[in-house]
């Protein structure tokens, strides 16, 4: 019978390359950003028409800043549809003033608060989509502002006849550099990168999305029934919509700096924690296949942990053999002198090989993640909001 210690060591050495191969096959490098031309030469007749739907609730200062950024877009065919979701601050005044200044560009509608005081986020989004006049809808929140005046042009250039969904990167930031802000930014960045890998890997479907900077076709939204299946959720219906109705090779994830928006985190930690709970609640309703694809990296890490555990057990059993283990008889049968004397050396060499390969893999993973973070980084162009 083959020795238990040597069996565990060999299996662990075989599992380690499998983990490395699976990781690198699932990894898709974020494209290096390039500087777009100042005056892109495109045929304006072939450009899609956009309706930017902004749903807002008690966000007058942020809404004003978002409108200023949107009206400065260098794009020939777009409109802004603002849905006032039962705001109680000066949001209505901001909308009225912006509509008077840009009557051909901005339109608005209103959703009152119901008797129970529940804000119907899904109904507000549906109302905005229904009120839009153009083919392509872009969902945007008042705390999200485009980084570039070429934001719409970048999205338009990424759309082709096979594209039915465009997801843009949200660059989160806060008022300060506190611990909870850094933690929240890191959590959302990792989630978006995971979604980017899922979309780009083998033309797969998205596994989630943010609730801002999303572009889709109006006809597809209503033919799929919109958010009708998930009206019982308070918000973040976008996660369920894109994972349920989007087919393979129909989604594009845009990481170019000109396609990004900068999104302000809620200024209070408790508000962010509430949003995080709502996000997790919507993700819990995903289909089983989507949940499995979300756990792809976790399963690779568990496989590596299993390999490392087997290596440690193999080393331990070679030093302290089990009572029923016939390792000594096996090695004495193969070689009465040489092999039996080199068992500890063989174990040490195997452990060193495993450790070196693991360290090299970890260094490469850290370097790849840092390079992706640098390629996604784009300095904040606007000053923080003044409350």
């Amino acid at each position: 019978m083959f020795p238990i210690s040597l069996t565990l060591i060999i299996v662990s050495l075989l599992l380690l390359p499998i983990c490395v191969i699976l990781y690198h096959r699932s990894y898709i490098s974020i494209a290096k950003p390039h500087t777009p031309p100042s005056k892109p030469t495109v045929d304006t007749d072939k450009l899609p028409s956009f309706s930017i739907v902004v749903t807002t609730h008690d966000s007058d200062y942020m809404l004003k800043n978002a409108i200023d950024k949107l009206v400065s877009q260098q794009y020939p065919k777009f409109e802004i549809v603002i849905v006032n979701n039962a705001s109680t601050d000066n949001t209505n005044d901001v909308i009225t003033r912006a509509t008077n200044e840009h009557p051909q560009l901005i339109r608005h509608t209103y959703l009152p608060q119901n008797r129970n005081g529940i804000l119907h986020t899904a109904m507000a989004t549906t109302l905005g989509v229904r009120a839009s006049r153009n083919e392509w809808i872009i969902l945007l929140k008042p705390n999200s502002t485009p980084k570039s005046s070429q934001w719409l042009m970048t999205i338009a250039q990424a759309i082709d006849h096979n594209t039915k969904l465009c997801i843009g990167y949200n660059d989160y930031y806060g008022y300060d550099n506190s611990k909870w802000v850094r933690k929240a930014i890191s959590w959302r960045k990792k989630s978006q990168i995971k979604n980017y890998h899922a979309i780009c890997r083998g033309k797969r479907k998205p596994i989630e999305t943010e609730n801002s900077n999303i572009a889709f076709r109006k006809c597809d939204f209503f033919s799929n029934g919109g958010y009708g299946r998930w009206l019982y959720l308070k918000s973040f219906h976008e996660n369920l919509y894109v994972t349920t109705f989007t087919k393979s090779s129909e989604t594009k994830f845009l990481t170019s700096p000109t396609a990004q928006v900068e999104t302000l985190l809620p200024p209070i930690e408790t508000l962010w924690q509430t949003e995080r709970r709502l996000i997790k609640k919507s993700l819990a309703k995903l289909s089983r296949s989507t949940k499995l694809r979300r756990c792809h990296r976790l399963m690779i890490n568990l496989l590596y942990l299993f390999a490392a555990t087997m290596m440690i057990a193999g080393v331990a059993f070679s030093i302290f053999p089990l009572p029923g283990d016939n390792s000594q008889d096996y090695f004495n049968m193969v070689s009465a002198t040489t092999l039996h004397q080199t068992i500890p050396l063989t174990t040490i060499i195997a452990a060193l090989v495993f450790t070196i390969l693991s360290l090299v893999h970890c260094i490469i993973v850290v370097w790849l993640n840092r390079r992706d973070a640098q390629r996604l980084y784009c300095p904040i162009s606007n000053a923080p909001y003044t409350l």
Side-chain angles (χ1 to χ4, degrees), residues 291-335:
K291 290 180 179 179
L292 287 175
R293 288 191 291 116
R294 286 181 57 82
C295 297
H296 179 77
R297 190 65 55 82
L298 176 62
M299 290 186 289
I300 295 177
N301 292 335
L302 290 177
L303 184 61
Y304 170 77
L305 182 62
F306 180 68
T309 304
M310 294 189 69
M311 173 58 69
I312 295 174
V315 173
F317 289 158
S318 65
I319 299 175
F320 307 102
L322 295 175
D325 188 9
N326 60 345
S327 301
Q328 302 297 333
D329 297 338
Y330 174 81
F331 287 110
N332 289 334
M333 178 182 65
V334 176
S335 175

Side-chain angles (χ1 to χ4, degrees), residues 136-194:
W136 277 90
I137 308 297
I138 300 180
L139 299 184
L140 203 66
K141 296 299 179 181
N143 62 329
S144 298
T145 55
K147 289 185 175 182
S148 170
S149 60
Q150 298 292 322
W151 174 60
L152 289 177
M153 183 63 72
T154 305
I155 297 176
Q157 291 175 345
I159 293 175
D160 54 31
H161 64 281
N162 291 326
T163 305
K164 292 190 176 181
L165 179 69
C166 264
I167 300 176
Y169 180 75
N170 284 253
D171 189 5
Y172 285 88
Y173 71 102
Y175 286 99
D176 51 28
N177 196 31
S178 59
K179 181 179 179 181
W180 79 268
V181 170
R182 295 195 304 269
K183 184 177 180 181
I185 292 175
S186 175
W187 185 64
R188 294 315 309 159
K189 177 179 288 187
K190 290 180 180 178
S191 298
Q192 292 184 86
I193 293 178
K194 184 190 298 183

Side-chain angles (χ1 to χ4, degrees), residues 16-314:
L16 179 60
I18 294 176
C19 296
V20 175
I21 292 173
L22 290 177
Y23 174 84
H24 288 280
R25 282 181 63 88
S26 64
Y27 171 78
I28 305 294
S29 176
I30 294 178
K32 186 176 181 180
H34 63 281
T35 304
S38 56
K39 294 183 179 180
T41 57
V42 294
D43 187 0
T44 56
D45 295 333
K46 296 182 179 180
L47 292 175
S49 301
F50 291 115
S51 290
I52 306 173
V53 177
V54 183
T55 57
T56 179
H57 170 73
D58 290 348
S59 304
D60 46 5
Y61 287 98
M62 291 186 290
L63 179 63
K64 183 180 182 301
N65 186 69
I67 292 175
D68 294 339
K69 286 284 186 177
L70 292 176
V71 298
S72 63
Q73 287 296 305
Q74 299 179 11
Y75 194 77
K77 300 183 294 183
F78 77 100
E79 66 171 356
I80 304 171
V81 180
I82 304 175
V83 182
N84 187 359
N85 192 5
S87 297
T88 57
D89 58 358
N90 296 325
T91 298
N92 190 52
D93 296 338
V94 173
I95 296 174
T96 302
R97 189 180 305 111
T99 305
N100 294 333
E101 293 176 357
H102 308 278
Q104 304 297 327
L105 192 62
I106 300 177
R107 299 164 52 237
H108 65 92
T109 183
Y110 181 82
L111 185 67
Q113 196 172 34
N114 68 353
R115 296 179 180 179
N116 297 325
I118 300 175
L119 296 175
H120 292 294
T121 307
M123 294 178 63
T125 303
T126 305
L127 182 62
V129 174
R130 189 175 295 276
S132 61
R133 298 172 178 172
N134 296 324
E135 173 190 8
W136 277 90
I137 308 297
I138 300 180
L139 299 184
L140 203 66
K141 296 299 179 181
N143 62 329
S144 298
T145 55
K147 289 185 175 182
S148 170
S149 60
Q150 298 292 322
W151 174 60
L152 289 177
M153 183 63 72
T154 305
I155 297 176
Q157 291 175 345
I159 293 175
D160 54 31
H161 64 281
N162 291 326
T163 305
K164 292 190 176 181
L165 179 69
C166 264
I167 300 176
Y169 180 75
N170 284 253
D171 189 5
Y172 285 88
Y173 71 102
Y175 286 99
D176 51 28
N177 196 31
S178 59
K179 181 179 179 181
W180 79 268
V181 170
R182 295 195 304 269
K183 184 177 180 181
I185 292 175
S186 175
W187 185 64
R188 294 315 309 159
K189 177 179 288 187
K190 290 180 180 178
S191 298
Q192 292 184 86
I193 293 178
K194 184 190 298 183
N195 192 31
Y196 171 84
H197 290 161
I199 293 173
C200 298
R201 182 177 61 245
K203 298 181 179 180
R204 301 294 295 273
K205 295 171 57 178
I207 55 176
E208 66 173 290
T209 185
E210 305 299 302
N211 63 349
S212 189
N213 202 12
I214 314 168
F216 53 83
R217 297 180 187 271
K218 181 179 180 180
C219 59
D220 294 335
F221 183 81
F222 288 114
S223 63
N224 294 326
Y227 300 152
R229 299 185 184 182
W230 311 285
L231 292 178
Y232 57 90
L233 294 176
K234 292 184 179 180
S235 59
F236 295 98
H237 310 83
E238 296 79 11
N239 285 326
L240 296 167
Y241 176 81
V242 301
T243 56
T244 302
F245 298 113
T246 306
K247 298 180 181 179
S248 301
S249 70
E250 292 182 349
T251 305
K252 289 187 178 180
F253 195 107
L254 307 182
T255 59
S256 172
T258 55
Q260 296 181 12
V261 297
E262 46 196 40
T263 303
L264 176 68
L265 291 169
I268 304 175
E269 183 177 1
T270 54
L271 294 179
W272 162 249
Q273 291 175 348
T274 301
E275 281 198 2
R276 184 173 180 177
R277 286 195 295 269
L278 293 175
I279 293 173
K280 290 185 175 181
K281 187 175 181 180
S282 66
L283 294 178
K285 304 297 181 179
L286 297 176
S287 63
R288 184 175 300 177
S289 60
T290 304
K291 290 180 179 179
L292 287 175
R293 288 191 291 116
R294 286 181 57 82
C295 297
H296 179 77
R297 190 65 55 82
L298 176 62
M299 290 186 289
I300 295 177
N301 292 335
L302 290 177
L303 184 61
Y304 170 77
L305 182 62
F306 180 68
T309 304
M310 294 189 69
M311 173 58 69
I312 295 174

